[in-house]
């Protein structure tokens, strides 16, 4: 039997607000335990929540960017359960009426595109952290994270493979960073994902029983966990068993998922509207304000790159994958006044290769866009050849200074003096009589050899176009 | 001195006939002398009180004193007080020293008032007799065999006995008005959202509202002036212009249309209490008010609706008492679940547990629609009843409680009878409208309360009517014996 995989993702994006969703405490990562938890975060008797407007602004931004309906009235509810790092004994979330409903996101794979539905996105507060290691049989509680604003983004079960799930997650990751609403840092937990995975015989309409996979804190883990889970479910079904609806934890070390709790053990969260908070009413003016300040979105940017810079769809796609990369590219084009295609080739070629090699993000590149533009400017005005430019790039990467300084110091300036080039050509011809004879009997074959010799003697600095032109004349 | 109204005390202080420190000492000594009979205080704060009194005297010297500067008051132990135990009447918070002041406490302090201490109350404000307090029952100064009412029973008993000039209370289903009635006082529950709930320990968030418990309507208006105001720390606080609740006290009430709901004078109301009310109604009629029979057809739903919504909210509000961060924690817990179970099991009293159980059940999957959602829908009907009534009449008059104070222990083991004693006070909380109780007479030497209900933001009007009634009667000036 052939099986079809069905995947829906729940992504928690931590909103990049300065303060918490319902209190004034800071949200910065990594502070000493419990130094960023005020009386509201601690759930002291008598305290009350007050909604952070910036978080609402960010949720609206997200809603508008995925073509969703931003609800003008949404409701905060309490999700009740006991856990030591949940100070109030309930989490304030949105349940029946979320702030964002019914959106979609276009994902691109190698040879096709697909629209993934987004059921809803709602605002909720994060819990604190339980620390089990350092306290010898006791548990420490750090409430710095308690109350941090999250946007939970729930997709439709529209994905049919781990690859599609990854493509969706990466697209979402790029989008929230584009919007400036989440730093996307997966190690720090700012962007987390749970996956609902089921399988069904191909052609069957009804969905199979799903498992919810938790603890998927990298793109790689998402892919591995899904693939593991799909294999597990198929082998259960093929051996005549039934898949249980349950929550499963992904263990990255063992690369397996294991049961956390079954449906029967699931909490009854006793959701009800939080009486401490009035319904969230978003005025149309507020939404208009958000709309007018919406940054250019990835797809619009990609289209503009194609139209304005004459890039191929593929190049435009690669360069708009993150806002930072797109910004880097545009700055390079603008400061170098060079051909956009040349800029694209350098950003996607040498620069990206070096970043990959050293495992760096574009924001950590040792060569700034302005410095790279300096190299490209000198290629465009024929000061250096493309080949020399690579040398300059290497030196620049190692911190040797700006393009002009490197060219000057290393004497890499291109030779354009015709007489100088002619003299080299004459030497090469004189030194290679055999090749000359061969060339003259079978023209095209050895032209490259002579170019190579001339370039070698000029230490790569002779202007290649001039070399070509003069050589042709001299050899004929 | 303890018979003086706030304005009289204010004048005495202003004339420097007495200093705030002296006045404070006077009330502290009355507490010391009489409270062993009443048990109305959980915590007395003499040092803090004398410090605050000294500051008040300083501001009189500097000429910066406000109207209520230097006047002592007592806070219900539901309001968080910085550095002072805030128990909410529960073993759970017996060790809880609040690290901040409730907005109400802050405002009273800013007005220069002096806190004498924290008054006894039903545990987490759940009760109508003050018998559910971890700190023991409070006794009614009019008859120490009787309950003072609840949940603000300590505040009411303290003011009635003249051991505090005035006190704060909170009212979720009648917890200011009913003890005021049973102790012969004036108690007002304001419109929901008028008094900040920040720092007021939550019982049922959508119903809780703070207010004054006072000897007179004028005193209540003066303290209400201090307690109210928008608070950005409470999302349910209303952003309205401030009001002077004393401004209209002197207006006559000619032409006032008083509605008498048929449902409030029927079965269940003690006959003697009804007679007292009839006399009071005549008095108001003589003052120029007209009487109109009205209907509040959904009155019978108020108690059942309340006993779904209030427990539902409390079951969630009280989840934070888990032994993890503050409050009571059981000895030697075996594991996490054991800690939760025993901490909560050992520290909550029976009534609190009962309501948590009811609320948890009402919110459970499969029951939510039938109970909580239904109750919210009915709540709207109850609210609509009032809106319709207020199209015909200015205010509604009824009893505060079906009977005078009952004896200690009389209803303690019968929760439903106890719940029914709140039948006339509960609907106002469900609707969010203001209501007050004023003394209107006695049955068997125990005070009878008369309740006035008004539309949203009609506090000034209600206080005006109450004041006019108190100008014509002296029920509010009667004092219980034995607290001279």
């Amino acid at each position: 039997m052939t099986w079809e995989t069905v995947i829906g993702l729940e992504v928690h994006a931590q909103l990049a607000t300065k303060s918490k969703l319902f209190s004034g405490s800071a949200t910065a990562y990594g502070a000493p335990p419990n130094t960023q938890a005020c009386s509201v975060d601690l759930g002291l008797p008598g305290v009350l929540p007050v909604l952070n407007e910036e978080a609402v602004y960010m949720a609206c931004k997200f809603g508008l960017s995925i073509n969703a309906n931003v609800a003008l009235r949404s409701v905060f509810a309490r999700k009740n359960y006991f856990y030591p790092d949940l100070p109030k004994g309930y989490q304030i979330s949105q349940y029946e009426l979320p702030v964002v409903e019914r959106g979609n996101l276009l994902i691109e794979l190698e040879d096709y595109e697909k629209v993934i539905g987004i059921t809803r996105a709602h605002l909720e507060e994060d819990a604190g952290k339980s620390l089990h290691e350092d306290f010898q049989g006791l548990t420490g509680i750090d409430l710095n994270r308690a109350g941090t604003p999250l946007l939970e983004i729930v997709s439709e079960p529209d994905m049919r493979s781990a690859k599609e799930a990854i493509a969706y997650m990466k697209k979402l990751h790029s989008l929230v960073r584009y919007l400036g609403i989440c730093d996307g840092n997966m190690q720090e937990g700012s962007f987390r994902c749970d996956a609902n995975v089921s399988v069904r015989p191909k052609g069957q309409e009804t969905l199979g029983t799903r498992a919810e996979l938790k603890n998927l804190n990298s793109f790689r883990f998402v892919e591995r966990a899904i693939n593991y889970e799909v294999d597990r479910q198929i082998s259960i079904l093929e051996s005549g068993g039934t898949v249980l609806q349950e929550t499963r934890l992904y263990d990255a070390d063992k690369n397996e998922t294991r049961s956390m709790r079954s449906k029967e053990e699931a909490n009854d969260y006793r959701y009800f509207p939080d009486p401490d908070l009035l319904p969230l009413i978003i005025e149309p003016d507020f939404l208009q304000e958000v709309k007018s300040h919406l940054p250019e979105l990835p797809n619009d940017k990609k289209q503009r790159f194609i139209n304005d810079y004459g890039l191929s769809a593929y190049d435009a796609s690669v360069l708009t994958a993150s806002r930072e990369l797109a910004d880097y590219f545009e700055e390079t084009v603008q400061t170098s006044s060079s051909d956009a295609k040349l800029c694209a080739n350098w950003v996607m070629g040498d620069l990206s290769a070096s970043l990959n090699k050293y495992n760096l993000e574009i924001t950590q590149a040792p060569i700034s866009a302005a410095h790279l533009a300096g190299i490209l400017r000198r290629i465009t005005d024929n000061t250096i050849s493309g080949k020399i430019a690579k040398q300059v790039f290497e030196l620049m990467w190692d911190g040797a200074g700006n393009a002009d300084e490197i060219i000057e110091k290393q004497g890499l300036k291109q030779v354009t003096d015709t007489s100088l080039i002619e003299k080299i050509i004459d030497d090469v011809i004189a030194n290679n009589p055999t090749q000359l004879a061969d060339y003259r009997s079978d023209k095209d074959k050895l032209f490259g050899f002579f170019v190579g010799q001339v370039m070698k003697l000029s230490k790569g600095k002779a202007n290649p176009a001039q070399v070509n032109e003069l050589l042709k004349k001299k050899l004929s | 001195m303890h018979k003086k109204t706030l304005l009289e005390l204010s004048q005495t202080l202003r004339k420097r006939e007495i200093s705030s420190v002296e006045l404070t000492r006077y009330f502290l000594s009355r507490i010391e002398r009489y409270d062993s009979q009443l048990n109305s205080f959980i915590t007395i704060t003499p040092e803090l009180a004398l410090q605050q009194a000294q500051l008040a005297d300083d501001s009189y010297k500097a000429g910066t004193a406000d109207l209520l500067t230097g006047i002592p008051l007592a806070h219900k132990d539901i309001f968080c007080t910085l550095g002072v135990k805030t128990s909410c009447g529960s073993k759970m918070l017996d060790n809880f020293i609040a690290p901040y002041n409730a907005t109400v406490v802050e405002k009273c302090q800013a007005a220069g008032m002096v806190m004498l201490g924290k008054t006894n109350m039903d545990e987490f404000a759940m009760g109508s007799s003050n018998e559910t307090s971890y700190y023991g029952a409070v006794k009614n100064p009019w008859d120490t065999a009787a309950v003072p009412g609840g949940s603000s029973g300590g505040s009411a008993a303290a003011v009635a006995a003249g051991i505090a000039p005035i006190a704060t209370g909170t009212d979720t289903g009648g917890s200011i008005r009913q003890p005021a009635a049973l102790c012969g006082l004036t108690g007002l529950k304001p419109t929901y959202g008028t008094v900040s709930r920040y720092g007021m320990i939550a019982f049922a968030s959508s119903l809780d509202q703070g207010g004054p418990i006072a000897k007179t309507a004028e005193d209540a208006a003066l303290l209400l002036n201090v307690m109210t105001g928008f608070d950005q720390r409470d999302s349910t606080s209303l952003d309205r212009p401030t009001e002077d609740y004393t401004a209209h006290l002197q207006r006559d009430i000619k032409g006032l249309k008083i509605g008498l709901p048929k449902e409030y004078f029927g079965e269940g109301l003690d006959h003697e209490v009804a007679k007292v009310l009839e006399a009071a109604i005549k008095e108001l009629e003589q003052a120029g008010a007209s009487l109109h029979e009205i209907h509040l057809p959904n009155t019978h739903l108020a108690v059942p609706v309340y006993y779904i919504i209030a427990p539902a909210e409390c079951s969630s509000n009280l989840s934070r008492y888990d032994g993890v961060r503050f409050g009571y924690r059981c000895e030697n817990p075996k594991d996490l679940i054991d800690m939760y179970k025993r901490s909560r099991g050992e520290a909550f009293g029976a009534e609190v547990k009962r309501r948590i159980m009811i609320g948890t059940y009402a919110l459970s999957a499969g029951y939510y629609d039938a109970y909580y959602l239904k109750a919210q829908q009915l709540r709207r009907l109850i609210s609509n009843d009032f809106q319709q009534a207020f199209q015909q009449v200015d205010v509604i008059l009824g009893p505060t409680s079906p009977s005078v104070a009952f004896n200690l222990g009389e209803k303690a083991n019968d929760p439903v009878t106890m719940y029914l004693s709140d039948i006339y006070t509960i609907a106002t909380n469900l609707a969010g409208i203001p209501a007050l109780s004023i003394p209107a007479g006695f049955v068997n030497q125990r005070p009878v309360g008369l309740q006035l209900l008004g539309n949203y933001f009609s506090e000034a009007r209600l206080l005006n009517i109450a004041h006019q009634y108190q100008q014509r009667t002296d029920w509010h000036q009667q004092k219980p014996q034995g607290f001279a």
Side-chain angles (χ1 to χ4, degrees):
Chain A
M1 192 183 299
T2 27
W3 297 92
E4 182 178 52
T5 303
V6 177
I7 303 161
L9 295 184
E10 288 171 21
V11 170
H12 286 87
Q14 183 185 319
L15 295 176
T17 55
K18 286 196 184 67
S19 58
K20 292 186 178 177
L21 188 53
F22 298 111
S23 83
S25 304
T27 54
Y29 181 82
N34 298 311
T35 55
Q36 288 177 175
C38 68
S39 54
V40 174
D41 308 321
L42 294 172
L44 288 186
V47 297
L48 295 168
V50 177
L51 181 60
N52 181 338
E53 183 174 328
E54 187 64 19
V56 176
Y57 192 95
M58 289 180 172
C60 291
K61 244 175 155 177
F62 178 76
L64 292 173
S65 71
I66 56 158
N67 316 308
N69 177 45
V70 175
L72 298 185
R73 182 178 182 277
S74 61
V75 170
F76 285 98
R78 292 184 182 178
K79 179 179 182 178
N80 295 284
Y81 64 97
F82 284 96
Y83 205 71
D85 59 26
L86 186 73
K88 299 186 293 298
Y90 57 84
Q91 176 196 31
I92 305 177
S93 181
Q94 296 189 305
Y95 184 54
E96 282 182 331
L97 298 169
V99 65
V100 171
E101 312 161 292
R102 298 188 306 278
N104 56 65
L105 198 63
L106 180 77
I107 62 167
E108 290 151 272
L109 290 107
E110 271 165 41
D111 42 7
Y112 65 100
E113 292 186 334
K114 185 173 179 179
V115 174
I116 304 296
I118 293 178
T119 318
R120 60 185 279 161
H122 66 253
L123 285 165
E124 65 181 27
E125 57 177 350
D126 207 345
K129 276 184 190 155
S130 294
L131 309 164
H132 302 292
E133 277 88 22
D134 305 334
F135 301 92
Q136 298 184 331
L138 297 172
T139 296
I141 309 287
D142 177 6
L143 295 176
N144 282 350
R145 202 180 64 183
T148 299
L150 300 175
L151 191 65
E152 181 175 333
I153 304 160
V154 183
S155 85
E156 291 287 311
D158 283 350
M159 287 152 277
R160 294 291 172 270
S161 65
K163 276 205 163 51
E164 288 187 2
I166 295 303
Y168 166 80
M169 208 175 149
K170 284 191 168 162
K171 192 68 188 267
L172 206 54
H173 187 253
S174 154
L175 178 63
V176 294
R177 287 166 46 119
Y178 255 91
L179 294 170
I181 63 172
C182 172
D183 68 15
N185 190 324
M186 295 176 82
Q187 272 97 46
E188 294 175 4
S190 305
F191 191 85
R192 325 197 274 270
C193 173
D194 300 336
N196 285 305
V197 178
S198 65
V199 299
R200 63 183 170 191
K202 206 160 177 86
Q204 180 184 302
E205 284 255 341
T206 51
L207 293 170
T209 305
R210 67 170 192 273
E212 185 182 1
L213 309 184
K214 294 256 180 206
N215 197 28
L216 312 176
N217 51 13
S218 80
F219 293 119
R220 208 160 42 119
F221 291 167
V222 173
E223 183 162 14
R224 283 190 186 175
I226 291 173
N227 285 333
Y228 174 89
E229 182 60 20
V230 167
D231 287 348
R232 188 186 72 88
Q233 292 186 12
I234 290 174
S235 65
I236 289 173
L237 293 169
E238 288 189 336
S239 59
T242 46
V243 173
L244 295 176
Q245 185 174 334
E246 61 185 353
T247 303
R248 298 180 69 82
L249 189 75
Y250 177 66
D251 181 336
D253 294 335
K254 293 183 183 159
N255 186 33
E256 62 177 32
T257 65
R258 56 170 183 271
S259 183
M260 264 174 85
R261 58 176 177 264
S262 72
K263 190 186 171 190
E264 285 71 30
E265 294 167 276
N267 280 314
D268 177 355
Y269 291 120
R270 292 175 283 121
Y271 281 100
F272 75 109
D274 191 332
D276 286 333
L277 291 160
L278 301 174
L280 170 58
I281 305 294
I282 294 174
E283 303 286 349
D285 284 356
F286 182 84
L287 205 55
Q288 198 51 49
E289 161 84 13
V290 177
K291 205 177 252 173
S292 63
H293 288 91
L294 215 53
E296 189 179 26
L297 299 176
N299 284 339
D300 299 334
K301 204 182 272 285
K302 178 184 162 190
Q303 205 50 54
R304 183 167 61 80
F305 279 18
I306 294 172
N307 297 342
D308 293 7
Y309 297 124
L311 298 181
S312 70
Y314 175 78
D315 287 359
S317 219
V318 171
L319 289 171
T320 55
S322 82
R323 187 173 174 171
E324 291 82 0
L325 185 63
D327 288 349
Y328 189 101
F329 165 72
E330 288 210 280
E331 196 187 333
T332 308
V333 175
Q334 274 146 26
T335 28
S336 70
S337 335
S338 299
D339 176 41
K341 180 67 189 163
L342 177 74
C343 296
N345 287 345
W346 274 85
V347 172
M348 293 162 59
D350 293 75
L351 180 72
S352 293
S354 299
L355 290 173
N356 280 343
K357 188 172 155 195
Y358 295 103
N359 205 11
L360 297 175
E361 297 293 323
I362 183 73
T363 47
Q364 304 165 302
I367 298 181
S368 69
H371 271 82
L372 180 64
I375 301 180
L376 303 185
R377 220 170 15 241
R378 295 297 160 248
I379 297 176
T380 306
D381 70 7
N382 280 327
T383 306
I384 53 171
S385 66
K387 203 163 175 189
I388 292 292
K390 285 181 192 293
Q391 244 177 288
V392 177
F393 180 90
E394 300 276 319
L395 291 163
M396 192 182 272
W397 185 276
D398 294 332
N402 69 33
D404 289 346
E405 285 165 6
I406 294 169
I407 293 168
E408 181 63 36
K409 215 179 281 171
Q410 306 289 324
L412 295 173
K413 199 167 177 204
Q414 187 157 250
V415 177
T416 50
D417 181 338
T418 312
S419 60
L420 220 64
I421 296 173
E422 276 183 335
K423 196 183 165 298
I424 297 170
I425 292 175
D426 290 345
D427 286 354
V428 169
I429 293 175
N431 290 335
N432 295 285
T434 332
Q435 282 81 353
L436 185 65
D438 285 356
Y439 175 79
R440 291 212 161 125
S441 59
D442 181 6
K443 265 187 181 169
D444 301 334
K445 222 177 176 180
L446 280 166
F447 187 73
F449 166 77
F450 284 102
V451 174
Q453 289 298 310
V454 172
M455 293 307 286
K456 194 173 163 191
L457 264 181
S458 76
K459 296 193 179 111
K461 289 186 286 183
N463 179 308
Q466 277 172 295
V467 170
N468 271 322
E469 195 191 315
L470 293 170
L471 250 181
K472 258 179 210 160
K473 226 185 277 172
K474 296 250 172 190
L475 289 172
S476 60
Chain B
M1 201 59 67
H2 60 275
K3 289 180 182 165
K4 287 187 191 299
T5 65
L6 293 198
L7 274 188
E8 287 162 358
L9 287 175
S10 179
Q11 277 158 14
T12 315
L13 284 164
R14 200 158 298 271
K15 288 187 200 148
R16 308 306 292 149
E17 288 169 13
I18 192 170
S19 70
S20 174
V21 167
E22 286 163 340
L23 187 63
T24 302
R25 285 218 171 93
Y26 175 80
F27 279 102
L28 287 171
S29 70
R30 282 184 65 78
I31 294 170
E32 204 174 320
R33 182 153 161 218
Y34 293 117
D35 201 43
S36 55
Q37 299 171 47
L38 301 172
N39 194 29
S40 68
F41 276 85
I42 291 173
T43 304
I44 306 160
T45 51
E47 277 175 39
L48 183 65
L50 290 169
Q51 269 173 33
Q52 291 179 346
Q54 186 57 56
L55 286 175
D57 285 332
D58 292 348
S59 59
Y60 273 106
K61 274 180 204 130
T64 55
D66 285 329
L67 191 60
L68 303 185
T69 298
I71 296 178
L73 92 166
H75 283 301
K76 185 176 181 179
D77 206 21
I78 200 167
F79 290 102
C80 284
T81 40
L82 174 67
V84 175
K85 178 165 102 171
T86 302
S87 74
C88 220
S90 181
K91 181 179 180 182
M92 183 58 89
L93 291 178
D94 185 48
N95 65 1
F96 180 64
I97 310 294
Y100 72 104
N101 275 328
T103 299
V104 162
V105 173
E106 221 170 52
K107 280 173 174 286
C108 291
Q109 207 169 305
M113 299 187 80
V114 173
M115 183 177 86
L116 296 168
K118 310 289 294 291
T119 58
N120 204 342
M121 56 182 285
D122 279 302
E123 185 180 10
F124 284 101
M126 297 176 200
S128 309
S129 67
N130 222 306
E131 290 165 289
T132 73
S133 170
Y134 172 62
Y135 301 92
V138 176
K139 284 156 195 128
N140 191 321
W142 290 93
D143 183 343
T144 50
V147 302
S151 64
S152 312
S155 287
V159 177
I163 62 174
I166 194 161
T168 56
T170 62
D171 190 316
T172 305
S175 284
I176 286 175
R177 291 161 288 158
Q178 187 252 18
L182 270 45
C183 291
L185 299 169
T186 302
L188 180 130
K189 180 205 90 76
T191 305
Y192 184 78
T194 304
V195 171
S196 168
R197 293 188 298 115
Y198 189 79
M200 193 178 106
I201 297 177
F203 158 18
S205 311
S206 75
L207 302 162
D208 296 343
Q209 189 61 196
I213 293 181
K215 290 197 285 277
T216 66
E218 183 187 71
D219 281 4
L222 286 166
L223 184 57
L224 191 63
N225 277 348
V226 172
M227 292 176 80
T228 53
F230 174 63
D231 182 4
Q232 59 180 12
R233 291 173 297 186
D234 174 1
S235 305
T236 61
S237 169
L238 295 162
D239 194 358
R240 301 180 73 245
T242 50
E243 214 177 319
D244 178 2
Y245 296 101
T246 63
H248 304 305
L249 292 179
Q250 311 305 336
R251 277 212 317 220
D252 69 46
I253 56 166
K254 283 198 187 81
L256 175 76
K257 289 189 212 164
I258 297 179
L260 302 171
K262 212 162 179 279
E263 295 79 4
Y264 282 30
F265 290 92
E267 202 187 329
L269 178 63
D270 180 280
H271 290 298
E272 299 299 315
V273 169
K275 272 189 210 158
V276 166
L277 292 178
E278 271 166 38
I281 291 164
K282 277 211 182 83
E283 189 67 47
L284 288 166
E285 203 177 10
Q286 276 163 22
S290 62
L291 307 173
H292 306 265
E293 189 181 278
I294 57 161
H295 283 278
L296 297 171
N298 293 296
T299 297
H300 65 288
L301 296 173
V303 170
V305 165
Y306 178 88
Y307 278 97
I308 296 298
I309 290 173
E313 291 181 7
C314 100
S315 72
S316 175
N317 281 336
L318 270 59
S319 293
R320 70 189 59 197
Y321 308 109
D322 56 4
V324 174
R325 297 164 316 286
F326 52 78
Y328 180 82
R329 183 188 288 178
C330 68
E331 299 276 337
N332 304 317
K334 281 204 306 276
D335 54 27
L336 180 64
I337 298 299
D338 184 49
M339 182 175 89
Y340 283 155
K341 285 186 174 170
R342 279 179 37 228
S343 298
R344 289 168 67 82
E346 291 164 15
F348 284 144
E351 184 59 29
V352 169
K353 284 180 195 163
R354 181 180 296 128
R355 297 198 195 189
I356 291 173
M357 293 293 287
I358 294 170
T360 302
Y361 182 83
L363 290 175
S364 297
Y367 298 100
Y368 178 87
D369 288 0
Y371 293 106
Y372 185 78
L373 203 62
K374 192 82 187 167
Q376 288 290 15
Q377 288 161 352
L378 297 176
R379 181 177 185 173
R380 176 59 59 90
L381 292 183
I382 289 164
S383 191
N384 289 347
D385 275 4
F386 285 117
Q387 288 313 307
Q388 266 163 22
F390 289 128
Q391 287 179 3
Q392 304 164 48
V393 297
D394 300 320
V395 294
I396 295 168
L397 185 152
T400 305
S401 183
S403 67
V404 292
F406 44 92
N407 286 338
L408 285 155
E410 190 181 321
K411 297 184 183 178
N413 298 318
D414 186 355
V416 175
T417 313
M418 187 78 94
Y419 295 169
L420 283 171
S421 71
D422 295 337
I423 190 158
Y424 306 122
T425 48
I426 271 175
T428 54
N429 298 77
L430 291 168
I433 57 172
L436 57 70
S437 179
I438 46 174
F442 291 86
V443 170
N444 302 329
Q445 289 89 50
R446 293 180 185 184
V448 172
L450 174 156
Q451 192 182 197
L452 290 170
L453 295 69
N455 210 344
Y456 302 113
F457 313 120
S458 65
E459 287 83 354
R461 185 67 165 144
L462 295 176
L463 288 163
N464 160 231
I465 301 162
H467 182 70
Q468 290 303 311
Y469 179 76
Q470 289 177 351
Q471 297 303 105
R472 303 174 68 94
T473 59
D474 66 354
W475 304 117
H476 62 290
Q477 285 165 343
Q478 310 283 319
K479 303 289 172 209
Q481 285 177 5
F483 302 96

